[in-house]
Amino acid sequence: MACVLACAFLAGPAPGQETGAPLEVALSPRNANYAIEVRLDPVERTLEARQTVTWRNLQEHPTQELWFHLYWNAWRNERSTWMLEDELRKRSEVDRDKVRPEDWGYVVVDSVRPVATTRFAAPDDGNPDDRTVFVVSLTDPVPPGESVEIEMTWHARVPRTFARTGFRGDYFFFAHWFPKLGVYEPEGWNCHQYHAATEYYSDYGVYRVAMTVPEDFVVGASGRQVERRAHGDGFATHVYQGEDIHDFAWTASPDYEEHRERFESAGLPPVDIRLLLQPEHRRQARRHLAAVAATLELYGTWFGPYPYPQVTVIDPAFESGAGGMEYPTLFTSGSRLFNPEGGGSPEHVTIHEAGHQFWYGLVGNNEFEDAWLDEGINTYLTGRAYQQAFGDTYRKVRYFVPPGTQISGFFPLLFRDLPENWALPADRLDRYRESARSDVPSTPTWRYHPGSAGNITYSKTALWLVVLERHLGWPTVREILAALFERKRFGHPEPEEFFSIADQVAGRDLSWFFDQVHRSAAVFDYAVDSATSRRVPARGLFEEEGGLAYRGERGEHYRSEVVVRRLADGTFPVDVLLVFEDGSESRQSWDGRGTWKLFAEERAARLDYAVVDPDRVLILDVDYTNNSYRIEDRSLFPAVKWGATWLLWLQDLLSAFAWFS
Amino acid sequence: MRCFGALVRGLGRALATPRILLWLWLVNLAIALPAAVWLGESIRSSVRHRLAAETLRQGFDAGWHGEYRAEAGGVERSFEPTLLGVGAFLKNLEAWLGLEIFQVSPALVALGVLYAAVWLLLLGGVLEHLVRPSPALTLDRFLADGARRFPPFARLAVLSVPLYWGIHRGSRELFPWIEALTRDVTVERTVLAAYLAGATGVALAAVLVKSVFDYAKVAMVVEQRRSALVALLRGGGFVLRHPFRVFGLVLWWALLSALALAGYAVLAPGAGVDDSAALAGAVLLGQCFLLVRFILKVGWIGGEAALYQDNQRRLPPPL
């Protein structure tokens, strides 16, 4: 079924076919426009560039400054804010012992015109060693609605991959590589320093980028190719243009193998999919393309069509560190030499990054401050889309991890007895549980603890969206997201807009919920504390026709009592289900606000078990095991079963120790 | 004698005294079982009266496992559903290759060291019987032989520690070195080949050390020696003079072990074991597989003894 869904939309390949026409009608404000000419020296690993930035002031007050991100300066040295924060993570992204002098990167602005002065700023932490924000003071202010054009020249050294940008051998991936404007807001420039746990925020515009690289290099880039000219000196210039996008990424490598397909589906515009694949993943081309097609189809149907005529998928080089990242109209997936079908890869990462074309690319939230608006929502939707397109996967373990390295195992083994549901993977709850109290989600994301930011941004948000889905139903949640998508396409949504739309669409005030999952670090844990079912004596005088009559025994009669407790601070309305030995059931609701509640029933049948939240609406419950209580204890069999499984492993482990004697 | 012939002879000697195999298996089981009972009780207490018990009966409950691990201590954290079937053996093989078996919880390392010591005690009896088979072998005799050989064997084990540690340290340098060497290689296949070559080197070094110490023990028993150092020289000399037969024997043993593992992979039931009969069958199959591994292991040791004795017989009589 998965393949039928995913493959149905792919028309025949069109090798060499030109991608679609430029978007003539502006879909976005197009107030931050770039024309860049850049030349790559692959031996020295440097970039030389000239760029013209045309910026229009959308605010109602003038400004005499332009604030730029110089992201690559995060890897000039270990004193940058990015590097300092990265050290706080449990598992640092950078193995500092292995960084060589030539691995560091930087970007230097050589000239800016017209300009009065330039300076570096560190608006978030005042770190004097951070050079990731560059302020240009203009000679004249830019009035509201007016534009300014400035010309810059700059050069950069390409880092060995940090944060998914850089090089490995002759493989290059360029992301956040040029001096890039922040966003001018009513409060002033929103231009954060580069932080280890957050991503990006920019205005929309038109990008025209001419990239000069060795002639044998294949280039992939945001937008579409409009020109390619060889210079006869071993270099060629590739010109790409993209409209209504808020960033521009590109890649160059002599090894890419190109695959093209056209996505077509009734009611959705066609999209040319260009896949640049590592040759050793040739047999996985179909899987990548199917995942992209499934995303364009599902997200397009759920929220609105993907408006660009093309999308480029990059399968990055092995261990290049560039995989699993989104950029407008281009994204990186990531695969391995051995990647069995049913293991979730590369389909899952491909869906996720393709999904970002909608939530990040089209709805351009501020990822520095509210990363959950794209990462959380998209994580939730990725699971749903994956499950719908590809169904269950299986637990996968990769063996042969070289000791002392950070490489994951080369040889995967699928455990077909351990199915996994991507709509709700168990490890997502594990990650949330680990960081449940770490940060209040409404805190600006860049202030999250770098070690647990991902768990809050991705896992917690995706989980509470599942709760909302189970509480309100998928049609309502889809409608909420579609309304947000419609309103904020090519714009910058704020969290409160999401919450307000949710209230409107759901037709009720949901602030009690968002107060807990977003504006606090409340934790949910309901439990069945005790359940008893005892025979009730029923002798005595009972009313019958003709008055009171004595009855010795009325037969089997049980009083079942179930105590349900709220063990944490979070509250949520829950159902409590009592199931009796004769198969009958009793379902009652509880607003979940008190610390405990007694549920009692008198019936002819004995209670079998009781469950609080039997439909598992409240997926955020950090301990679901304690949500049930069965009168008869049946724990012996599983204990023996899994104890015996572990026993066999331990016996073999002991034999491994015996090797040394 | 060819190496395969030696393995066949070793297996024949192993199978000729099933009592020894049974004792070895029982000792292994006896040391592991209390820990497994403890873990089973830990699992049981976490699902007592809970519906998760039912899902764990029918298959696995990943949600429960996450909650269990969140509360778990060191030993309990070693419990994973991917220990099912061949997963347990692949995990240990990987840990052995990286000498990471010492990175499990301290309690399990202590158990492993205890087992290694007991194995050393039993090995004397095993070797004595493989070198000088006796149809009237009793447990007392077996243990007495083991006890007699234990002190010199222990000395050998102590001598082997720095060598294994050296291999461990070497591998910790080697693999990062390969990582550095291949840091600009963009093709996984090439990088994999480099690591496989490195792993083969580490495995060969480990096998070399093991073989030298194994043949030292064999020499000790065959030649009734007491000196661990002299035996080590004898064992080392034998390995150096007959590297192809020594490594050939190891390769045959490894091949048969891999075949046994493949057979177990085919036959091993998965998580769906949900009734007592099926569970008993699964446990029995697992223990039978371990028994086969003991047969192969004793067969390997027997093969080493056969190779060494055969070589002794070929030597010219002393003048």
Side-chain angles (χ1 to χ4, degrees):
Chain A
M1 178 246 170
C3 192
V4 171
L5 174 71
C7 303
F9 313 112
L10 296 174
Q17 182 180 329
E18 274 304 307
T19 50
L23 298 170
E24 298 293 348
V25 180
L27 301 173
S28 72
R30 293 189 180 178
N31 67 308
N33 305 301
Y34 298 80
I36 307 175
E37 292 170 15
V38 59
R39 182 184 179 92
L40 166 69
D41 180 336
V43 178
E44 295 299 321
R45 289 164 181 151
T46 56
L47 295 178
E48 291 280 346
R50 170 191 303 275
Q51 74 180 44
T52 304
V53 181
T54 310
W55 178 75
R56 192 169 81 252
N57 184 356
L58 297 181
Q59 298 304 322
E60 294 174 352
H61 43 86
T63 178
Q64 200 160 351
E65 288 184 335
L66 297 180
W67 285 47
F68 287 86
H69 295 282
L70 299 181
Y71 289 113
W72 280 14
N73 282 343
W75 311 303
R76 282 172 76 219
N77 55 47
E78 289 184 300
R79 302 299 305 158
S80 72
T81 294
W82 194 97
M83 291 295 287
L84 292 171
E85 289 178 350
D86 181 62
E87 262 189 313
L88 287 174
R89 300 196 227 214
K90 271 185 196 163
R91 189 177 171 185
S92 166
E93 187 178 308
V94 181
D95 189 341
R96 286 166 165 73
D97 295 338
K98 293 176 183 168
V99 177
R100 296 180 184 174
E102 66 271 24
D103 294 347
W104 299 97
Y106 58 78
V107 54
V108 173
V109 176
D110 299 311
S111 68
V112 187
R113 287 180 192 165
V115 64
T117 57
T118 61
R119 64 185 167 93
F120 290 101
D124 298 335
D125 64 1
N127 177 0
D129 295 316
D130 195 82
R131 293 281 187 271
T132 58
V133 174
F134 181 69
V135 182
V136 172
S137 296
L138 303 166
T139 48
D140 299 306
V142 186
E146 295 299 313
S147 296
V148 62
E149 183 176 292
I150 65 166
E151 292 195 0
M152 309 172 88
T153 58
W154 54 269
H155 70 278
R157 191 165 89 181
V158 187
R160 181 168 290 278
T161 312
F162 288 87
R164 299 186 177 97
T165 182
F167 76 90
R168 181 181 172 101
D170 55 4
Y171 173 86
F172 292 87
F173 196 93
F174 303 99
H176 315 293
W177 52 284
F178 58 95
K180 190 176 168 209
L181 285 165
V183 175
Y184 191 53
E185 295 188 331
E187 300 80 21
W189 281 95
N190 190 310
C191 190
H192 290 280
Q193 294 161 249
Y194 202 177
H195 294 278
T198 56
E199 296 182 331
Y200 318 99
Y201 180 40
S202 319
D203 276 331
Y204 290 83
V206 176
Y207 287 73
R208 188 179 178 90
V209 182
M211 297 149 283
T212 301
V213 299
E215 205 168 0
D216 62 330
F217 275 38
V218 177
V219 168
S222 295
R224 67 195 184 286
Q225 184 173 315
V226 293
E227 187 185 350
R228 181 186 184 280
R229 54 179 187 273
H231 300 297
D233 61 352
F235 279 76
T237 297
H238 304 249
V239 183
Y240 277 68
Q241 182 162 318
E243 296 89 4
D244 304 304
I245 56 180
H246 59 65
D247 197 2
F248 189 96
W250 61 291
T251 178
S253 161
D255 298 327
Y256 282 130
E257 194 174 274
E258 185 170 350
H259 298 254
R260 283 177 183 265
E261 295 271 10
R262 171 164 282 204
F263 164 79
E264 287 177 337
S265 177
L268 294 173
V271 180
D272 288 328
I273 306 171
R274 184 184 184 215
L275 169 64
L276 297 184
L277 201 64
Q278 298 301 315
E280 63 184 351
H281 299 158
R282 188 172 299 133
R283 295 201 308 185
Q284 300 172 22
R286 169 68 32 194
R287 295 168 65 185
H288 284 82
L289 293 165
V292 179
T295 313
L296 294 174
E297 169 71 14
L298 291 170
Y299 279 57
T301 309
W302 290 339
F303 312 118
Y306 177 79
Y308 307 102
Q310 79 295 317
V311 63
T312 302
V313 187
I314 306 297
D315 171 33
F318 176 67
E319 282 293 301
S320 62
M325 189 61 194
E326 69 280 8
Y327 310 95
T329 70
L330 175 146
F331 64 88
T332 61
S333 55
S335 192
R336 296 295 299 271
L337 179 59
F338 302 114
N339 232 353
E341 287 195 49
S345 169
E347 290 86 351
H348 186 266
V349 68
T350 305
I351 290 178
H352 184 77
E353 308 310 338
H356 270 306
Q357 297 306 312
F358 296 77
W359 299 98
Y360 152 82
L362 292 172
V363 179
N365 58 297
N366 183 341
E367 292 185 295
F368 287 99
E369 297 178 2
D370 309 298
W372 67 272
L373 272 170
D374 68 307
E375 294 297 358
I377 289 175
N378 189 43
T379 298
Y380 160 69
L381 294 169
T382 303
R384 189 171 184 88
Y386 184 95
Q387 202 66 28
Q388 191 163 331
F390 298 101
D392 274 354
T393 55
Y394 304 97
R395 181 77 64 96
K396 181 170 68 182
V397 176
R398 300 196 77 96
Y399 295 98
F400 192 47
V401 179
T405 72
Q406 289 191 333
I407 296 174
S408 64
F410 287 91
F411 301 112
L413 178 66
L414 285 190
F415 288 80
R416 295 195 179 271
D417 280 334
L418 303 172
E420 293 194 326
N421 181 330
W422 272 104
L424 195 58
D427 60 344
R428 185 168 300 157
L429 191 50
D430 296 346
R431 283 195 290 269
Y432 160 63
R433 189 185 296 113
E434 192 181 302
S435 310
R437 301 272 192 199
S438 176
D439 274 299
V440 174
S442 57
T443 307
T445 314
W446 64 271
R447 288 187 190 273
Y448 286 5
H449 186 280
S452 53
N455 294 349
I456 303 293
T457 302
Y458 293 74
S459 300
K460 182 175 181 181
T461 310
L463 287 168
W464 68 247
L465 281 162
V466 172
V467 175
L468 209 58
E469 176 190 317
R470 293 182 179 188
H471 188 59
L472 303 174
W474 162 244
T476 306
V477 172
R478 190 204 62 76
E479 205 180 325
I480 292 168
L481 294 173
L484 181 69
F485 184 82
E486 177 60 29
R487 283 187 212 176
K488 303 310 291 189
R489 205 160 61 135
F490 301 109
H492 307 309
E494 295 284 337
E496 292 310 319
E497 291 174 278
F498 172 88
F499 302 134
S500 159
I501 289 172
D503 286 353
Q504 288 167 23
V505 174
R508 61 183 107 162
D509 179 11
L510 293 168
S511 57
W512 61 272
F513 179 67
F514 297 128
D515 282 348
Q516 296 185 89
V517 299
H518 182 71
R519 300 184 191 101
S520 82
V523 167
F524 300 88
D525 185 13
Y526 286 94
V528 178
D529 188 48
S530 65
T532 56
S533 196
R534 63 178 193 279
R535 201 168 170 184
V536 180
R539 287 178 300 172
L541 297 171
F542 294 90
E543 285 179 358
E544 287 193 356
E545 283 181 26
L548 291 175
Y550 177 80
R551 266 205 234 134
E553 196 59 63
R554 287 207 307 180
E556 295 283 305
H557 202 72
Y558 293 89
R559 177 176 173 80
S560 299
E561 293 180 342
V562 175
V563 175
V564 177
R565 283 190 185 277
R566 177 169 61 80
L567 301 177
D569 50 342
T571 63
F572 194 86
V574 286
D575 282 357
V576 176
L577 177 70
L578 277 58
V579 177
F580 299 87
E581 286 182 340
D582 62 357
S584 62
E585 294 181 354
S586 162
R587 184 184 279 253
Q588 300 173 53
S589 295
W590 179 34
D591 64 13
R593 288 189 187 149
T595 53
W596 68 280
K597 185 173 171 68
L598 173 69
F599 296 85
E601 287 264 340
E602 287 199 14
R603 291 196 180 209
R606 219 165 70 108
L607 180 70
D608 183 6
Y609 62 87
V611 195
V612 54
D613 190 19
D615 304 322
R616 206 160 184 192
V617 173
L618 185 58
I619 200 74
L620 283 166
D621 191 321
V622 292
D623 185 349
Y624 191 71
T625 301
N626 67 14
N627 279 39
S628 61
Y629 195 100
R630 176 165 240 146
I631 300 290
E632 182 192 351
D633 178 32
R634 297 182 187 175
S635 59
L636 181 60
F637 186 93
V640 172
K641 172 181 165 181
W642 291 105
T645 301
W646 189 79
L647 169 68
L648 197 61
W649 167 76
L650 181 60
Q651 287 178 274
D652 184 62
L653 178 73
L654 295 181
S655 297
F657 275 94
W659 170 275
F660 301 103
S661 60
Chain B
M1 178 181 281
R2 289 176 182 276
C3 44
F4 184 69
L7 182 62
V8 170
R9 187 182 292 181
L11 285 170
R13 288 180 185 180
L15 291 168
T17 319
R19 271 171 294 174
I20 289 182
L21 298 169
L22 191 66
W23 293 336
L24 294 176
W25 170 72
L26 278 174
V27 166
N28 176 276
L29 182 65
I31 291 180
L33 193 59
V37 168
W38 181 85
L39 183 93
E41 187 53 39
S42 162
I43 292 172
R44 188 176 186 192
S45 66
S46 79
V47 295
R48 203 183 298 275
H49 290 289
R50 305 299 184 185
L51 290 183
E54 195 55 38
T55 48
L56 280 177
R57 178 195 183 96
Q58 292 166 1
F60 192 71
D61 187 330
W64 163 80
H65 185 238
E67 291 162 15
Y68 178 74
R69 276 179 68 88
E71 303 292 323
V75 174
E76 294 145 311
R77 288 186 78 83
S78 67
F79 170 68
E80 296 164 7
T82 50
L83 298 180
L84 272 173
V86 292
F89 304 99
L90 292 176
K91 182 179 178 182
N92 287 336
L93 179 64
E94 172 133 52
W96 173 84
L97 268 174
L99 273 181
E100 284 165 351
I101 56 172
F102 294 98
Q103 289 171 12
V104 292
S105 80
L108 293 182
V109 171
L111 211 58
V113 171
L114 169 70
Y115 180 74
V118 173
W119 175 262
L120 207 59
L121 175 71
L122 302 176
L123 193 58
V126 171
L127 263 176
E128 191 67 41
H129 180 73
L130 291 172
V131 170
R132 283 176 277 276
S134 160
L137 180 69
T138 63
L139 183 58
D140 288 349
R141 166 89 183 276
F142 178 73
L143 291 176
D145 287 337
R148 185 158 53 89
R149 299 287 180 197
F150 181 76
F153 279 15
R155 286 197 290 277
L156 281 175
V158 170
L159 286 173
S160 74
V161 168
L163 292 173
Y164 282 122
W165 178 248
I167 293 172
H168 175 61
R169 290 305 310 158
S171 75
R172 291 287 151 166
E173 298 294 325
L174 176 68
F175 289 111
W177 179 74
I178 293 174
E179 188 181 29
L181 196 70
T182 57
R183 72 198 306 252
D184 280 318
V185 177
T186 56
V187 180
E188 182 176 0
R189 206 184 299 269
T190 309
V191 177
L192 172 60
Y195 281 114
L196 281 175
T200 305
V202 172
L204 283 176
V207 167
L208 176 66
V209 171
K210 176 155 180 66
S211 295
V212 167
F213 282 87
D214 275 4
Y215 285 99
K217 292 182 193 108
V218 170
M220 211 172 252
V221 175
V222 169
E223 297 164 5
Q224 300 285 14
R225 292 183 184 279
R226 285 173 178 273
S227 166
L229 280 177
V230 174
L232 194 56
L233 289 174
R234 298 284 296 164
F238 181 82
V239 172
L240 288 177
R241 283 194 304 277
H242 308 285
F244 293 109
R245 280 194 279 172
V246 167
F247 279 91
L249 178 64
V250 175
L251 280 178
W252 276 113
W253 166 78
L255 180 66
L256 291 181
S257 297
L259 284 174
L261 186 63
Y264 180 69
V266 171
L267 296 174
V273 170
D274 63 353
D275 65 59
S276 301
L279 178 57
V283 171
L284 196 63
L285 182 69
Q287 296 304 319
C288 284
F289 172 63
L290 281 184
L291 202 54
V292 168
R293 296 264 308 274
F294 276 115
I295 293 170
L296 290 173
K297 187 161 186 178
V298 175
W300 176 20
I301 298 168
E304 289 175 328
L307 276 183
Y308 195 87
Q309 285 179 298
D310 184 61
N311 186 62
Q312 290 288 90
R313 278 193 288 275
R314 287 165 189 268
L315 291 176
L319 295 173

